[in-house]
Amino acid sequence: MPENESWEYTLFIPNDLRAVTISRRTIRLILTMHGLIRLVDTAELLAAELIANAVRHTKGPAALRVRWSASVLRIGAWDADPEPPEPPGNLALLGEAEEGRGLALVRACADLWGWQPLARNGNRGKYVWFELAAA
């Protein structure tokens, strides 16, 4: 499949910590099947952080979106909590901390990241995303 072809997948996720592993494996499979193996490890790690945050810090369902367009991979997680995510801390200062590493990792490893309010199926929530360029 040509790299300049656009595609998108959405995985709807119940509020269950097992969703983190399922999301990681789904990302690995999608990117491998589309010939984007060089992006798999980083994408899998960062997506797992977003999904873990969505499942751990909210009570409702979540969704994972994986999109490839114009040689940029965008992965995002929607959750039912409209509150903004905690700002990422300094990764070097977080060390072995259990909490707060997720968005710091995303900020350190992604080419671009952000969040926006987003409603889905009548539920208010937010969408936190990151991008990885192919180059």
Side-chain angles (χ1 to χ4, degrees), residues 64-116:
L64 174 71
R65 191 161 89 188
V66 183
R67 189 180 84 205
W68 176 258
S69 181
S71 296
V72 173
L73 179 68
R74 178 179 274 211
I75 296 178
W78 174 87
D79 67 51
D81 181 4
E83 289 301 309
E86 288 291 317
N90 183 327
L91 195 56
L93 299 178
L94 288 167
E96 298 300 309
E98 283 298 307
E99 294 287 314
R101 280 198 347 250
L103 282 181
L105 259 177
V106 170
R107 182 176 67 185
C109 300
D111 294 315
L112 201 60
W113 80 278
W115 79 277
Q116 63 205 62

Side-chain angles (χ1 to χ4, degrees), residues 16-50:
D16 184 330
L17 279 173
R18 292 173 292 190
V20 177
T21 301
I22 291 167
S23 297
R24 285 184 84 120
R25 297 208 173 130
T26 301
I27 296 256
R28 180 165 290 274
L29 183 60
I30 290 169
L31 297 182
T32 300
M33 296 303 293
H34 283 283
L36 296 169
I37 292 173
R38 66 196 175 282
L39 298 178
V40 166
D41 291 337
T42 304
E44 188 181 27
L45 173 70
L46 301 185
E49 294 293 346
L50 296 188

